[in-house]
Amino acid sequence: MEQRISFASDNISGVHPAVMAAIAQANAGTAPSYAEDAYSKKAAGLVAKLFGDKAIPFFVLTGTGANVLALKAMVSSYHAIVHSHIAHIHADETGAPEVFLGCKLRPVVTGENGKVTPELVKPLLKEKGNPHHNQPKVISIAQTTEWGTVYTPDEVRALAAFAHENDMYLHMDGARLANAAAGLGTPVKAFTTDAGVDVVSLGGTKNGIMIGEAVVFLNPVLAEHFPYIRKQGMQLYSKMRFVAAQFIAYLTNDVWLENARHANAMAKRLSEGIRNLPHLTVIRPTEANGVFVRLSPQHSHALQKEFDFHVIDETEAHHDVRLMLAFNTPAEHVDAFIAAASKLK
Ligand SMILES: Cc1ncc(COP(=O)(O)O)c(C=O)c1O
């Protein structure tokens, strides 16, 4: 089948060969169901190793499920979750958090870097203790952010300290946690457990896994009811060994990190290749595997004839487009885009 070059997302790519082989290997014989099998126990141990002794991981199927169920462990219906106006939980989950949590989502308008800060959350705290308002209970951030930027360990630490001082929790949507670790060049523990995050997800699907994410409790008290939350939330997959086997392959020999390093390197290559071209402006720092570009609608349409990518904001004057790089994006695809962009008139 003829394939167009696509930068539409990092989940348009396939499955890493080691992960695919692990699925086939797990297909031999039988195994206990519902995450009671040896694969699930081993994979949970490997995930926990990344985050430290107290981490309690649970596997789920989708990133939306990971977010909604993690948040379910932290809130009641009279609570509010504070997050960026570009947050996936707010903009791209079709109201799943509102339906399953029954509480309020409170977006704060983040600046150019897409990051939530204590200063942005502070004004909402005046609602604390007032029975007429949902009570702010969780700050939810995405690492990397939806604009491809990465919170530093200090930025996360400041948010966690602020949350805890105000009887709140810090949730981290880690659909692209591997890309953040690769971008920062630090172990994930440094910007999660050690920085005070309460619950984080470790994404797999966007970085070489076929199906699977992990919800990781770093605050063990919050994990208490999660077995029931996961089942009620329809994410306790009966043949969980196939999810777990993927994570074992993913976390062995640093496959997860190498995948993310490649995607990030391709993003740098693209960003640097188009940075000095006359008709394109890179509008966000390229800190992980996303490149965000402003160009005219005409130029955007011309490039769309050859390449797939999402226009995330448009006016009559410009298109802001998102180019995502994946664990297996070939350098030739990046170079083809740079060449096409440099021919724009
Ligand atoms: C930041 C972020 N979080 C969560 C998700 C959800 O993943 P899924 O599509 O598996 O539900 C995505 C997917 O695009 C995402 O970009």
Side-chain angles (χ1 to χ4, degrees), residues 24-45:
Q25 275 160 20
N27 199 28
T30 61
S33 45
Y34 299 109
E36 297 292 340
D37 61 286
Y39 293 97
S40 294
K41 291 187 177 113
K42 181 169 178 188

Side-chain angles (χ1 to χ4, degrees), residues 234-289:
M234 298 162 277
Q235 295 269 319
L236 178 59
Y237 180 43
S238 61
K239 290 185 178 172
M240 197 65 95
R241 78 177 189 270
F242 292 104
V243 172
Q246 295 173 78
F247 268 92
I248 294 170
Y250 185 62
L251 297 176
T252 300
N253 298 328
D254 278 351
V255 166
W256 67 290
L257 208 46
E258 286 305 321
N259 283 359
R261 284 184 184 134
H262 175 83
N264 289 11
M266 289 301 104
K268 276 243 147 41
R269 186 181 182 108
L270 178 59
S271 185
E272 279 160 19
I274 60 179
R275 193 168 291 279
N276 295 318
L277 298 180
H279 302 300
L280 288 82
T281 309
V282 178
I283 53 172
R284 315 262 174 238
T286 305
E287 295 177 351
N289 65 324

Side-chain angles (χ1 to χ4, degrees), residues 174-249:
R176 298 189 178 88
L177 208 72
N179 301 95
L184 288 168
T186 58
V188 288
K189 190 165 172 287
F191 59 89
T192 56
T193 319
D194 296 349
V197 173
D198 292 287
V199 188
V200 60
S201 51
L202 174 65
T205 317
K206 292 184 191 303
N207 192 37
I209 274 183
M210 183 191 283
I211 303 167
E213 315 279 309
V215 176
V216 189
F217 287 85
L218 307 176
N219 177 344
V221 175
L222 293 171
E224 196 181 330
H225 304 298
F226 200 75
Y228 317 108
I229 290 172
R230 178 173 60 173
K231 175 69 184 189
Q232 192 180 59
M234 298 162 277
Q235 295 269 319
L236 178 59
Y237 180 43
S238 61
K239 290 185 178 172
M240 197 65 95
R241 78 177 189 270
F242 292 104
V243 172
Q246 295 173 78
F247 268 92
I248 294 170

Side-chain angles (χ1 to χ4, degrees), residues 4 30 102 147 152 166 223 235 252 269 320 328:
R4 283 163 56 80
T30 61
W147 281 347
T152 65
N166 291 289
Q235 295 269 319
T252 300
R269 186 181 182 108
D320 286 349
N328 59 358

Side-chain angles (χ1 to χ4, degrees), residues 62-64 67 88 93 142 146 173 175-176 206:
T62 69
T64 299
N67 282 341
H88 197 270
E93 296 186 358
E146 290 78 356
D173 168 351
R176 298 189 178 88
K206 292 184 191 303

Side-chain angles (χ1 to χ4, degrees), residues 158-178:
L159 274 169
F162 177 82
H164 297 154
E165 276 158 23
N166 291 289
D167 187 28
M168 296 173 77
Y169 299 118
L170 182 63
H171 166 249
M172 183 179 274
D173 168 351
R176 298 189 178 88
L177 208 72

